[in-house]
Amino acid sequence: MRTFFNVEDLGNLAQALREAREVKNNRYGFQHLGKNKTLLMIFFNNSLRTRLSTQKAAMNLGMNVMVLDVNAGAWKLETERGVIMNGDKSEHLLEAIPVMGSYCDLIGIRSFAGLVNREFDYAETIVNQFVKHSGRPVFAMETATVHPLQAFADLITIDEYKPCRRPKVVLSWAPHCRALPQAVPNSFAQWMGAADVDFVITHPEGYELDPTFTGNAVIEYDQRKAFAGAHFVYAKNWSCPGVTHPADYGKILTEDAAWTIDSKHMNWTDNGYFMHCLPVRRGLIVTDDVIESPRSLVIPEAANREISAEVVIKRMLETL
Amino acid sequence: MRTFFNVEDLGNLAQALREAREVKNNRYGFQHLGKNKTLLMIFFNNSLRTRLSTQKAAMNLGMNVMVLDVNAGAWKLETERGVIMNGDKSEHLLEAIPVMGSYCDLIGIRSFAGLVNREFDYAETIVNQFVKHSGRPVFAMETATVHPLQAFADLITIDEYKPCRRPKVVLSWAPHCRALPQAVPNSFAQWMGAADVDFVITHPEGYELDPTFTGNAVIEYDQRKAFAGAHFVYAKNWSCPGVTHPADYGKILTEDAAWTIDSKHMNWTDNGYFMHCLPVRRGLIVTDDVIESPRSLVIPEAANREISAEVVIKRMLETL
Amino acid sequence: MRTFFNVEDLGNLAQALREAREVKNNRYGFQHLGKNKTLLMIFFNNSLRTRLSTQKAAMNLGMNVMVLDVNAGAWKLETERGVIMNGDKSEHLLEAIPVMGSYCDLIGIRSFAGLVNREFDYAETIVNQFVKHSGRPVFAMETATVHPLQAFADLITIDEYKPCRRPKVVLSWAPHCRALPQAVPNSFAQWMGAADVDFVITHPEGYELDPTFTGNAVIEYDQRKAFAGAHFVYAKNWSCPGVTHPADYGKILTEDAAWTIDSKHMNWTDNGYFMHCLPVRRGLIVTDDVIESPRSLVIPEAANREISAEVVIKRMLETL
């Protein structure tokens, strides 16, 4: 595996889930793969779970790990070509990328959407330069449009907790005070579309996700109808994806508190589990009682981030 | 050992000192304990000695180490419950703590006193949440009220340099330009109270430490009388502990330069050693000549931080 | 080897180049040297290449590595003696240095020139305190006046690409929007003076480098004449070294764009290679087409930073 951005990169999902179980039961069992191999984790944005879980996964595999916070302790990087660099950015990505590639064997990269220029974000302008110029396998630690380590961890969690062979999974938009990217819902929709689940998306009108990721998913604008019979509710805020009105890209169209997931919402489901990728703002996305209830899976989901990362890194090591 | 905050957590002190000597003579001899074990060091505040010495100790033991600076590169964390999180904090400790616990085997935590709310600080509100919700052994890398790795290193140093079986140790307040927490003097008082030394505390009136930590220690307001016959002078500034006047908690009551430790002060002692936990502000706490004199133990004390941390981590590994 | 600042520290250059080739072919072959040894990398300034390549080199050798960003997450350090420390600096270098030395076996240090006080910078006031007080071997990761890991990597690169036994190497000043230190050109001049090359320096009048580093190097103020017959063009900006006019130290004397290296400049050479230490500002130092051309060696140079660091650290480990 040379890149990990989309669900297709992982191949057969049932096989990937078997491998996740194997790794979870034996997380230190593959250290021969990582010996004298170095993972470089590059952060253009903040991180807690991704930072720790990915580092832990690589160390489980016996790798050396270097963490680079681009905006703290390194040079600011110019990302556009053809400019005279007389501002505050002292190095160009076109030099920085192959240089970073020369000091490592694998690259993990986090670079969020700017939410200003839809075309720039959805072309994955930054991350694609790493794929093209680094000379190394590259995996996403959340890019402008995808967060596949999260979606894979979510799938592992759903597989562990599902009460029936083919559970009903609902992705529900929820309100938030700041404009957030679509990477998490994009990937979740893409992965659920490929998994053996009944998948429904619910959100206020105008929040339609890019069809590249949602494919044939059912969209139900009535949140209550969407939740009926659900085994898993996956809550997430996202800003306007700008699919129908590109000028609205990145905007907050509503902060309607009726969409906040509380116990009334959960009662609409079939004794459903609550899921969220974290970090989550309590009182906006979800109420205290729901996130703290025994049906909340937010901690097991987060714990599975170590497992999804270990499977992905393991596969990349195997193909070096 | 599941927690390390107070001197009682270490059990028999003489035995702990023997173990410290053993570790100091053979600091790479226990790597079987740390293999495939991960220490997560969490900093809510700056650090130099603690950061390096604790990391070194864990690596001595063969562990993997992850360092998280909460205020640099991670999300800001909400610490209070029941709030609508629409400010600058994007994650709640109640999620962050079990998540962090899921990626490691041991947790070291630094979270200083805010010096605004005595009750909040002295209840160890932040750190106790880690103990309660992380599912991992937790040790203090300086909390709101204690700094036991420092106190243990100080005890090791006193044990190495003591000129007699039961030396006289004086904890002396000294002036400073900023309000500092009481964690270091609290722990030092607590540890000296449990150690085989004659212990005296001296400070201007109003700076009385919390009796929880000082116990039966002698308090002598006359610095000169306190220093008479002393074998060790342990200098430290602290702000008002607010024991008698809670409204003064965290305030600077005096900056009286007469309390600055200079050679005249040291001449009052029985050829005493000078100690300080560092960082120290020269010219305020102590003069250049005293801290640079052959009787200054500040560097050996700091070097013993590696040893105190290694003993504590070793014991926690042994009980995993 | 106890220090690495100047070319003399490395001894016979031909032997050092042989060792570099040996290390490059077998970079994980010397891990017995680094076992249970710790490198402390101390940064007073930002870094990308140095941070990653030096850490990678130490890990290649089986070492543990600790990275300290002094201005992020640690205490600010007082560097002058005899002051009353009542400002924003809470620790003195005279304590911090031996403390840091006590937690490691080797120290790498980055501390740039302030460009305000020539005497302070050229006396290497900061770094020399580390040599004197740390008790550990110390190597430069760019100091006020030298950057020898870069110069050694440059020499390795020239040795790999030279089209003849004794190539012509030109160090050319180029314009820049900010005042930069002289560490890179100083070291490059010093190393080329010791290497088996024909060496010429070209720059506008007033930019004469300190003769301590340039020795007998030819200085040619006509850039075109300097480039004639060159096999390697090493571009770099530097601010006024203040050799003839000390009051001009650290100033920008000109931003003349005629000195920017473009294809016209490269056509003056004997099919010369383009070199630069990076980070480089495109459009100021060099044009896009030159830095992206097949004759650009900026990436191989950067990759050789891992090798120069590994040779230096290996030698220091051998003499512990």
Side-chain angles (χ1 to χ4, degrees):
Chain A
M1 190 162 57
R2 292 289 299 182
T3 56
F4 181 67
F5 295 101
N6 294 297
V7 69
E8 296 81 19
D9 294 323
L10 208 57
N12 183 285
L13 272 191
Q15 167 56 25
L17 286 170
R18 275 194 298 275
E19 194 167 337
R21 284 190 291 271
E22 186 188 4
V23 161
K24 195 164 183 173
N25 287 325
N26 186 22
R27 52 190 91 186
Y28 306 109
F30 305 91
Q31 297 188 342
H32 56 287
L33 293 170
K35 186 173 164 59
N36 290 331
K37 296 287 184 286
T38 300
L39 169 64
L40 175 58
M41 294 166 59
I42 302 170
F43 290 95
F44 284 87
N45 311 91
N46 284 354
S47 171
L48 187 147
R49 263 157 299 283
T50 298
R51 181 183 296 267
L52 297 179
S53 63
T54 310
Q55 189 173 349
K56 178 66 158 58
M59 297 189 308
N60 288 352
L61 289 161
M63 297 187 80
N64 293 320
V65 182
M66 298 195 292
V67 179
L68 186 72
D69 285 298
V70 173
N71 297 319
W75 311 108
K76 287 200 182 179
L77 298 176
E78 177 60 57
T79 56
E80 293 186 47
R81 203 169 166 285
V83 300
I84 294 181
M85 291 170 57
N86 55 6
D88 67 335
K89 295 172 177 168
S90 48
E91 179 148 26
H92 201 287
L93 263 187
L94 289 176
E95 274 78 60
I97 290 173
V99 167
M100 294 190 278
S102 74
Y103 303 140
C104 65
D105 300 282
L106 301 182
I107 290 176
I109 179 149
R110 162 159 291 195
S111 177
F112 287 175
L115 294 181
V116 174
N117 181 335
R118 187 185 203 278
E119 201 175 349
F120 184 87
D121 288 347
Y122 272 71
E124 291 288 5
T125 312
I126 303 292
V127 166
N128 279 340
Q129 292 189 65
F130 279 85
V131 173
K132 192 169 171 192
H133 298 297
S134 73
R136 302 298 173 196
V138 176
F139 63 90
M141 303 196 301
E142 189 171 340
T143 69
T145 66
V146 295
H147 195 359
L149 287 172
Q150 181 63 50
F152 186 16
D154 295 331
L155 177 62
I156 294 169
T157 310
I158 288 170
D159 189 56
E160 291 174 341
Y161 286 86
K162 64 183 179 189
C164 56
R165 199 194 58 76
R166 188 174 167 88
K168 177 175 177 182
V169 177
V170 180
L171 167 62
S172 178
W173 181 92
H176 197 270
C177 56
R178 296 193 179 184
L180 296 186
Q182 298 97 41
V184 168
N186 281 347
S187 284
F188 189 73
Q190 187 190 55
W191 287 66
M192 289 303 108
D196 194 14
V197 302
D198 286 325
F199 184 52
V200 175
I201 306 175
T202 183
H203 53 69
E205 290 197 46
Y207 278 102
E208 291 74 18
L209 293 165
D210 195 300
T212 310
F213 298 103
T214 53
N216 300 318
V218 175
I219 297 174
E220 169 55 67
Y221 294 103
D222 183 328
Q223 194 183 22
R224 180 166 188 161
K225 284 189 190 166
F227 277 41
H231 301 104
F232 296 91
V233 169
Y234 193 92
K236 183 75 187 81
N237 173 268
W238 61 90
S239 62
C240 177
V243 171
T244 44
H245 298 287
D248 284 344
Y249 176 64
K251 289 193 178 158
I252 294 176
L253 304 180
T254 174
E255 300 188 49
D256 185 357
W259 287 78
T260 299
I261 314 293
D262 61 13
S263 57
K264 181 192 69 186
H265 287 71
M266 294 308 293
N267 286 338
W268 298 337
T269 70
D270 183 6
N271 193 27
Y273 288 106
F274 176 80
M275 300 181 74
H276 189 281
C277 62
L278 305 182
V280 69
R281 289 183 181 246
R282 292 171 170 227
L284 296 177
I285 301 286
V286 59
T287 55
D288 285 347
D289 59 332
V290 168
I291 200 170
E292 294 180 0
S293 87
R295 304 301 284 177
S296 171
L297 296 180
V298 296
I299 306 306
E301 272 180 275
N304 277 330
R305 290 290 307 277
E306 177 182 338
I307 307 307
S308 66
E310 187 164 345
V311 171
V312 167
I313 296 171
K314 173 175 171 286
R315 289 201 176 184
M316 288 191 160
L317 288 172
E318 286 166 344
T319 54
L320 276 184
Chain B
M1 191 162 58
R2 293 287 301 181
T3 56
F4 180 67
F5 295 101
N6 295 296
V7 69
E8 295 81 17
D9 294 322
L10 207 57
N12 183 285
L13 273 190
Q15 166 56 24
L17 286 169
R18 275 194 298 276
E19 194 167 337
R21 285 190 292 272
E22 186 188 5
V23 161
K24 195 164 183 173
N25 287 326
N26 186 23
R27 53 190 89 186
Y28 306 108
F30 305 92
Q31 297 188 343
H32 56 288
L33 293 170
K35 185 173 164 59
N36 291 331
K37 296 287 184 286
T38 300
L39 169 65
L40 175 58
M41 294 166 60
I42 302 170
F43 290 95
F44 284 86
N45 311 91
N46 284 355
S47 171
L48 187 146
R49 261 157 301 284
T50 297
R51 181 182 296 267
L52 297 179
S53 63
T54 310
Q55 189 172 349
K56 178 66 157 58
M59 296 189 308
N60 289 351
L61 289 161
M63 296 186 81
N64 293 320
V65 182
M66 299 195 291
V67 179
L68 185 73
D69 286 299
V70 174
N71 296 319
W75 311 108
K76 287 200 182 180
L77 299 176
E78 177 60 58
T79 56
E80 293 186 46
R81 203 171 165 284
V83 299
I84 294 182
M85 292 170 56
N86 54 7
D88 68 334
K89 294 172 177 168
S90 48
E91 179 148 25
H92 201 286
L93 263 187
L94 289 176
E95 275 77 62
I97 290 173
V99 167
M100 293 190 279
S102 75
Y103 303 140
C104 65
D105 300 282
L106 302 181
I107 290 176
I109 178 149
R110 162 160 290 194
S111 177
F112 287 175
L115 294 182
V116 173
N117 181 335
R118 187 184 202 277
E119 202 175 347
F120 184 88
D121 288 347
Y122 272 71
E124 292 288 5
T125 313
I126 303 292
V127 167
N128 280 340
Q129 292 189 66
F130 278 86
V131 174
K132 192 170 171 191
H133 299 297
S134 72
R136 304 296 174 199
V138 177
F139 62 90
M141 303 195 300
E142 189 171 339
T143 70
T145 66
V146 294
H147 196 0
L149 287 173
Q150 181 64 50
F152 186 15
D154 295 331
L155 176 63
I156 294 168
T157 310
I158 288 171
D159 188 56
E160 291 174 341
Y161 286 86
K162 64 183 179 187
C164 55
R165 200 194 58 75
R166 188 175 167 88
K168 177 175 177 183
V169 177
V170 180
L171 167 61
S172 178
W173 181 93
H176 197 270
C177 56
R178 297 194 178 185
L180 295 186
Q182 297 98 40
V184 168
N186 281 346
S187 284
F188 189 73
Q190 187 189 56
W191 287 66
M192 289 303 109
D196 195 13
V197 302
D198 286 325
F199 183 53
V200 176
I201 305 174
T202 184
H203 53 69
E205 289 198 46
Y207 279 102
E208 291 75 18
L209 292 164
D210 194 299
T212 309
F213 299 103
T214 53
N216 301 318
V218 175
I219 298 174
E220 169 55 67
Y221 294 103
D222 182 328
Q223 195 183 21
R224 180 166 189 162
K225 284 190 188 166
F227 277 41
H231 301 104
F232 296 92
V233 169
Y234 193 92
K236 183 74 187 81
N237 173 269
W238 62 90
S239 63
C240 176
V243 171
T244 46
H245 298 286
D248 284 344
Y249 176 63
K251 289 192 178 158
I252 294 176
L253 304 180
T254 174
E255 299 188 49
D256 184 358
W259 286 79
T260 300
I261 314 294
D262 61 13
S263 57
K264 182 192 69 185
H265 286 71
M266 294 307 293
N267 286 338
W268 297 338
T269 71
D270 183 7
N271 193 26
Y273 287 105
F274 175 80
M275 299 181 74
H276 189 281
C277 62
L278 304 181
V280 69
R281 289 183 182 246
R282 292 171 170 226
L284 296 177
I285 301 286
V286 59
T287 55
D288 286 347
D289 59 332
V290 168
I291 199 171
E292 294 180 0
S293 87
R295 304 301 284 178
S296 170
L297 296 180
V298 295
I299 306 305
E301 272 180 275
N304 277 331
R305 291 290 306 277
E306 178 182 337
I307 307 307
S308 66
E310 187 165 344
V311 171
V312 167
I313 296 171
K314 173 175 171 285
R315 289 200 176 186
M316 287 192 160
L317 288 171
E318 285 167 344
T319 54
L320 275 184
Chain C
M1 190 163 57
R2 292 289 299 181
T3 56
F4 180 67
F5 295 101
N6 293 298
V7 69
E8 295 80 18
D9 294 322
L10 209 57
N12 183 285
L13 272 190
Q15 167 56 24
L17 285 169
R18 273 194 299 275
E19 195 168 336
R21 284 190 292 272
E22 186 188 5
V23 161
K24 195 164 184 173
N25 287 325
N26 186 24
R27 54 189 89 186
Y28 307 108
F30 305 91
Q31 297 188 343
H32 56 286
L33 293 170
K35 186 173 164 58
N36 290 331
K37 296 287 184 287
T38 300
L39 168 65
L40 175 57
M41 294 166 60
I42 302 170
F43 290 95
F44 284 86
N45 311 91
N46 284 354
S47 170
L48 188 146
R49 263 157 299 284
T50 297
R51 181 182 297 265
L52 298 179
S53 62
T54 310
Q55 189 172 349
K56 178 65 158 59
M59 297 189 308
N60 289 351
L61 289 161
M63 297 188 80
N64 293 320
V65 182
M66 297 195 292
V67 179
L68 186 73
D69 285 298
V70 174
N71 296 318
W75 311 108
K76 287 199 182 180
L77 299 176
E78 178 61 58
T79 56
E80 293 186 47
R81 204 170 166 285
V83 299
I84 294 182
M85 291 170 58
N86 54 7
D88 68 333
K89 295 172 177 168
S90 48
E91 180 149 23
H92 201 288
L93 263 187
L94 289 175
E95 274 77 61
I97 290 173
V99 167
M100 293 190 279
S102 75
Y103 303 140
C104 66
D105 301 282
L106 301 181
I107 290 176
I109 180 150
R110 162 160 290 196
S111 178
F112 287 175
L115 295 182
V116 173
N117 180 335
R118 187 183 203 280
E119 202 175 347
F120 184 88
D121 288 346
Y122 272 71
E124 291 289 5
T125 313
I126 302 292
V127 167
N128 279 340
Q129 292 189 67
F130 278 84
V131 173
K132 192 170 171 190
H133 298 297
S134 72
R136 303 297 174 196
V138 177
F139 63 89
M141 304 196 298
E142 189 170 340
T143 70
T145 66
V146 295
H147 196 0
L149 287 173
Q150 181 64 50
F152 186 15
D154 295 331
L155 176 62
I156 293 169
T157 310
I158 288 170
D159 188 55
E160 291 173 342
Y161 285 86
K162 64 183 179 188
C164 55
R165 200 194 56 75
R166 188 176 168 86
K168 177 175 178 183
V169 177
V170 180
L171 167 62
S172 177
W173 181 92
H176 197 270
C177 56
R178 298 193 177 186
L180 296 186
Q182 297 98 40
V184 168
N186 281 347
S187 283
F188 189 74
Q190 187 190 55
W191 286 66
M192 289 303 108
D196 194 14
V197 302
D198 286 326
F199 184 52
V200 176
I201 305 174
T202 183
H203 53 69
E205 289 198 46
Y207 278 101
E208 291 74 17
L209 293 165
D210 194 298
T212 310
F213 298 103
T214 53
N216 301 319
V218 175
I219 296 174
E220 169 55 67
Y221 294 103
D222 182 328
Q223 194 183 22
R224 180 167 189 161
K225 284 189 188 165
F227 276 42
H231 301 103
F232 297 92
V233 170
Y234 193 91
K236 184 74 187 81
N237 173 269
W238 61 89
S239 63
C240 176
V243 171
T244 45
H245 299 286
D248 284 343
Y249 176 63
K251 290 194 179 158
I252 294 177
L253 305 180
T254 174
E255 300 188 49
D256 185 357
W259 286 79
T260 300
I261 314 293
D262 61 13
S263 57
K264 181 192 69 185
H265 286 71
M266 294 307 294
N267 285 338
W268 297 338
T269 71
D270 183 6
N271 193 25
Y273 287 104
F274 175 80
M275 299 180 75
H276 188 281
C277 62
L278 304 182
V280 69
R281 290 183 181 245
R282 291 171 170 227
L284 295 177
I285 300 286
V286 58
T287 55
D288 285 348
D289 60 331
V290 168
I291 199 171
E292 294 180 1
S293 87
R295 305 301 284 178
S296 170
L297 295 180
V298 296
I299 306 304
E301 270 179 276
N304 277 331
R305 291 290 306 277
E306 178 181 338
I307 307 308
S308 65
E310 187 164 345
V311 171
V312 167
I313 296 171
K314 174 175 171 284
R315 289 201 176 185
M316 288 191 160
L317 288 171
E318 286 167 343
T319 53
L320 277 184

